[in-house]
Amino acid sequence: MLSLISVSRRVVRINIPWRRYSSGYSDWTSLRPHVKEFVEKNVELCKPAAVHVCDGSSEENEMLLNKLVEQGRLTKLTKYNNCYLARTSPEDVARLEERTFICTPNERDAIPIPKKGIKSQLGYWKDPDEMETELRKKFSGCMEGRTMYVIPFSMGPIDSPLAKIGIQLTDSEYVVASMRIMTRMGSDVLKRLGEQEKERMFTARKDAFVRCVHSVGYPLPPGKKDLEWPCNPQDVTIAHFLERNIIVSYGSGYGGNSLLGKKCFALRIASSIARNEGWLAEHMLILGITNPEGKKRYIAAAFPSACGKTNLAMMKPSLPGWKVECVGDDIAWMKFDSKGQLRAINPENGFFGVAPGTSSSSNPHAMDMIKANTIFTNVAHTSDGGVFWEGMEKDIDLSNISVTSWTGEENWTKDSGTKAAHPNSRFCTPTNQCAVIDPQWEDSAGVPIDAILFGGRRPTTIPLVYEAFNWQHGVFMGATMRSETTAAAKLKKEIRHDPFAMKPFFGYSFAQYLEHWLSLENRKAAKVPKIFYVNWFRKDADGNFIWPGFGENSRVLEWIFRRVEGENIAKGSALGMVPKPNTINMQGLGDVDMQTLFADNKPDLEAEVEAIKKFFQEQIPEDLPKAMKQELESLQDRIAKLPNADHNKQ
Ligand code: O2Y
Ligand code: MN
């Protein structure tokens, strides 16, 4: 089964120029036998014109960038240092959830079985054999006329016991150049793989690396013209074979669909590995925060898309004397050490941040770091060789320069009626270029996590911050996360369920995921961190944000920090522990309506309970852990006891 990508004893010799790029790059003969077999089986199927084993060197990178420029797929940005702009096909601009599958023999292991007649919101499942048949057809000859690149990569610092190795095959140079930024990539990884095999002499070798196969799905038989941005949008399929740690992606060259180390490996496959091995792979930023006395704590935080995760990860605190340093902005791998301390690494090596909305006021550190060694995708191009996107208006004087939009529309202006940059346009930048990168960010043991934050974009109902009563309640807070969609203005905004900000990224059933989280408290010697929920987005009756956000969020982090230190500054409320009056530092901040920011509005809270109840009943009618039902009942009881008018004022 799965001969497309599985290891076979039959070594097939294929007459292709293996050594075409061998000078200066990784040598085919140096590959471990099972890596060779993996490549050869896929060469046999995909029929590339050449194979290139990537060594990750700067010479190799330069060769690829030059090739992309020659092909017209990258434009050099003369205003910055070694930066490039890619413009994708308008049909290939984002992750495609409904084309992304978890493949397990039993559907129940991939997604909770929903109520009859209800569609699951918690992922897509396909039988592995059926998926293999489908993929075999798609991949047959799919790399004709192209080079297959072999990318050895490590998620996490190569020497970290928490890191994991992957090998991605791809026919896209853009993917290779991006993977070189987003992961540790090249010969050192192959060397580490060899060392690991020696260490694991008597264990199953198949587990040594995660196998990733990617194709843009646009073969080039002789005489066929290439596309500006090769892809095959009608046929996009992204499959995760959990039993074998295999990822296969077809038809898209963009983002999370094609940079397989990110969402596919570091979240979906890793969350499944983590469950089996007793750790966590989460959609969380990691930051270090230091108080004016020099005491430092680390926080991991999960927010759905469009809640400002990258901004928070590298925020400039407005509070004097406080410092925030960034370990990572998107993914955290966390494991309890032998002393029971939860430790986290950022498995990535780069930021793949959303460009629109990033500015000197929302994220000054990001604006600085992206001026070198960055690949931008689908942002607008300025006539002085720079970039532009919505939100950058105050950072750039457009009066003497012209703008070409992401679709190629020349002389774009804000009155053109179109967007300069695609809303999901990105910057792809090495992590170590961030001015506030944490000195411990590559610590192979990981950083100690003392608090976990959940959050969402909630215009009503949810206060600025509250704390879980205990671990089980904290898991319930994660399970019931909801966030407002940022759909185009003309579409109705909705509050969608996005448990743990993992809805698009669960690698196995959410019901089993909850059991795993609940079980961590009972692990030997585990000291579980405090859990909090934050909401920067509550609005007043006129629809204005009440809380200023951005650097001012440091005031909330300060309160969380003090709670971690054990200060008695919280009191009970219906949702959880909220700040006692005047315990959030408001010094230097103008008037903020703290009463509305923390108001318990009984009808809104009752509606929240009903929404959660419906979600559980429809989406997880059979396998919902009992502890979650108990928490829901307790919440309902606490809300029932609230007086009918607003209470709990600051
Ligand atoms: O649309 C894509 O392919 C990128 S999605 C993404 C990229 C970086 C960080 N987070 C996300 C996300 O959707 O959570
Ligand atoms: Mn993300």
Side-chain angles (χ1 to χ4, degrees):
M1 200 197 108
L2 224 64
S3 57
L4 156 63
I5 36 212
S6 66
V7 176
S8 147
R9 285 182 190 284
R10 193 169 63 94
V11 178
V12 188
R13 286 277 151 237
I14 306 127
N15 187 20
I16 54 164
W18 294 113
R19 291 167 185 279
R20 189 156 156 183
Y21 296 106
S22 64
S23 162
Y25 305 123
S26 275
D27 182 3
W28 168 254
T29 56
S30 72
L31 296 188
R32 317 293 306 168
H34 58 310
V35 178
K36 275 190 193 167
E37 287 181 68
F38 166 59
V39 178
E40 283 179 331
K41 285 305 284 183
N42 284 287
V43 165
E44 190 187 355
L45 181 74
C46 304
K47 303 206 170 16
V51 175
H52 174 132
V53 182
C54 299
D55 69 358
S57 64
S58 48
E59 293 81 4
E60 178 183 73
N61 187 44
E62 209 171 299
M63 180 278 286
L64 289 166
L65 293 171
N66 289 339
K67 188 169 174 182
L68 282 158
V69 170
E70 267 166 42
Q71 290 164 336
R73 291 189 186 126
L74 281 188
T75 305
K76 190 153 181 142
L77 294 164
T78 50
K79 189 170 172 182
Y80 315 121
N81 173 18
N82 193 33
C83 291
Y84 294 84
L85 168 61
R87 291 204 329 230
T88 72
S89 154
E91 293 182 290
D92 191 18
V93 291
R95 287 187 290 102
L96 292 171
E97 282 176 38
E98 63 290 2
R99 305 283 188 91
T100 302
F101 299 90
I102 304 296
C103 303
T104 48
N106 292 320
E107 181 171 1
R108 209 184 203 101
D109 291 331
I111 52 170
I113 307 302
K115 190 172 156 187
K116 215 164 178 257
I118 298 284
K119 186 171 170 279
S120 177
Q121 293 174 24
L122 294 164
Y124 295 82
W125 168 84
K126 207 163 230 177
D127 174 79
D129 292 342
E130 241 179 73
M131 180 56 93
E132 188 198 345
T133 307
E134 200 180 293
L135 288 172
R136 179 158 267 287
K137 278 195 210 128
K138 289 185 174 171
F139 274 80
S140 179
C142 70
M143 293 190 189
E144 206 183 335
R146 299 191 188 277
T147 298
M148 173 192 277
Y149 296 91
V150 180
I151 311 173
F153 65 96
S154 172
M155 298 312 292
I158 296 182
D159 63 344
S160 170
L162 294 168
K164 300 261 175 219
I165 289 175
I167 296 188
Q168 176 166 349
L169 311 180
T170 181
D171 53 5
S172 159
E173 289 82 13
Y174 166 87
V175 166
V176 182
S178 305
M179 285 289 283
R180 185 171 181 270
I181 296 172
M182 294 304 298
T183 72
R184 282 105 176 152
M185 181 261 253
S187 306
D188 291 352
V189 178
L190 289 176
K191 203 167 137 227
R192 179 73 194 122
L193 192 59
E195 288 163 7
Q196 279 183 356
E197 281 183 20
K198 277 187 212 132
E199 289 159 17
R200 294 185 192 161
M201 194 83 177
F202 302 109
T203 61
R205 293 193 168 184
K206 269 202 234 171
D207 297 335
F209 63 93
V210 172
R211 289 161 167 75
C212 309
V213 186
H214 167 252
S215 171
V216 294
Y218 197 83
L220 286 176
K224 187 169 164 191
K225 201 169 164 275
D226 206 351
L227 298 174
E228 275 176 42
W229 180 265
C231 61
N232 188 343
Q234 281 71 41
D235 265 345
V236 171
T237 305
I238 297 129
H240 306 73
F241 296 88
L242 286 204
E243 266 73 26
R244 291 157 189 259
N245 290 345
I246 290 170
I247 303 161
V248 186
S249 167
Y250 183 86
S252 165
Y254 186 59
N257 299 333
S258 67
L259 313 181
L260 301 187
K262 193 170 180 57
K263 304 298 188 181
C264 297
F265 181 164
L267 286 177
R268 299 192 192 97
I269 290 288
S271 64
S272 157
I273 297 175
R275 191 253 311 244
N276 297 335
E277 296 181 353
W279 51 282
L280 292 167
E282 297 299 328
H283 190 202
M284 291 182 180
L285 65 87
I286 309 165
L287 62 82
I289 177 161
T290 308
N291 73 7
E293 289 73 47
K295 172 107 193 159
K296 186 164 191 175
R297 295 284 187 180
Y298 286 93
I299 294 173
F303 298 96
S305 306
C307 289
K309 240 169 115 189
T310 306
N311 297 347
L312 182 66
M314 47 187 88
M315 71 128 79
K316 223 176 194 169
S318 62
L319 280 182
W322 286 78
K323 187 161 73 174
V324 165
E325 288 163 301
C326 175
V327 177
D329 77 329
D330 198 38
I331 299 175
W333 285 1
M334 301 188 287
K335 190 174 183 175
F336 290 100
D337 68 14
S338 56
K339 296 194 179 113
Q341 171 67 53
L342 189 63
R343 292 193 163 268
I345 61 163
N346 167 12
E348 302 193 276
N349 195 41
F351 301 110
F352 195 66
V354 182
T358 307
S359 70
S360 296
S361 61
S362 70
N363 194 337
H365 297 307
M367 292 306 279
D368 285 343
M369 76 182 182
I370 58 181
K371 289 178 185 144
N373 309 312
T374 295
I375 298 177
F376 296 91
T377 304
N378 290 340
V379 301
H381 191 194
T382 55
S383 55
D384 63 346
V387 292
F388 176 76
W389 51 72
E390 280 72 15
M392 251 176 93
E393 294 80 0
K394 289 196 184 131
D395 289 312
I396 188 169
D397 177 8
L398 290 180
S399 55
N400 288 317
I401 50 178
S402 64
V403 174
T404 302
S405 80
W406 77 279
T407 58
E409 181 187 344
E410 290 178 5
N411 298 314
W412 176 94
T413 71
K414 62 179 177 12
D415 303 319
S416 296
T418 53
K419 295 268 188 213
H422 186 277
N424 193 35
S425 55
R426 300 276 166 171
F427 55 81
C428 180
T429 304
T431 306
N432 61 12
Q433 289 185 192
C434 177
V436 290
I437 196 67
D438 191 84
Q440 303 303 312
W441 90 276
E442 294 201 278
D443 189 326
S444 64
V447 296
I449 298 295
D450 289 313
I452 290 177
L453 269 52
F454 296 122
R457 185 178 271 272
R458 299 299 305 266
T460 65
T461 321
I462 306 297
L464 178 64
V465 58
Y466 68 97
E467 180 187 326
F469 296 120
N470 52 45
W471 182 254
Q472 176 174 302
H473 179 224
V475 175
F476 175 78
M477 280 156 54
T480 54
M481 275 169 66
R482 299 172 73 211
S483 195
E484 187 179 55
T485 55
T486 50
K490 52 188 170 205
L491 295 174
K492 194 175 162 283
K493 289 191 174 181
E494 282 178 66
I495 309 286
R496 292 226 182 111
H497 294 273
D498 191 353
F500 292 81
M502 282 286 282
K503 187 179 81 78
F505 310 120
F506 287 120
Y508 63 99
S509 161
F510 174 49
Q512 297 171 19
Y513 172 99
L514 285 171
E515 297 283 11
H516 179 49
W517 263 79
L518 289 165
S519 76
L520 293 178
E521 187 180 27
N522 304 319
R523 284 187 83 78
K524 210 168 141 218
K527 289 178 257 164
V528 289
K530 280 182 175 289
I531 296 180
F532 299 84
Y533 200 106
V534 296
N535 174 28
W536 321 130
F537 302 97
R538 197 153 176 174
K539 289 183 176 168
D540 62 20
D542 299 325
N544 301 312
F545 289 117
I546 303 171
W547 183 249
F550 304 112
E552 304 298 357
N553 293 338
S554 57
R555 298 170 191 276
V556 177
L557 297 188
E558 185 213 53
W559 186 83
I560 290 169
F561 189 109
R562 291 170 62 197
R563 284 296 295 153
V564 169
E565 295 302 313
E567 282 194 49
N568 181 13
I569 49 173
K571 60 172 185 166
S573 80
L575 283 169
M577 303 292 286
V578 292
K580 283 185 178 171
N582 308 317
T583 58
I584 291 198
N585 184 345
M586 301 296 282
Q587 245 178 22
L589 192 62
D591 259 3
V592 173
D593 180 358
M594 297 301 270
Q595 278 195 357
T596 311
L597 206 48
F598 281 92
D600 272 343
N601 180 304
K602 194 170 181 181
D604 284 353
L605 287 166
E606 285 167 342
E608 187 74 10
V609 164
E610 285 313 306
I612 296 169
K613 210 184 271 180
K614 183 165 182 275
F615 176 68
F616 283 168
Q617 280 170 357
E618 290 188 351
Q619 293 294 319
I620 326 160
E622 292 163 27
D623 298 338
L624 184 72
K626 266 203 195 87
M628 294 296 98
K629 289 181 202 157
Q630 282 166 10
E631 287 298 330
L632 181 58
E633 279 164 21
S634 306
L635 174 62
Q636 200 164 5
D637 290 348
R638 293 194 298 271
I639 292 170
K641 288 189 190 124
L642 289 176
N644 284 328
D646 286 1
H647 91 155
N648 238 6
K649 314 247 187 218
Q650 272 277 303

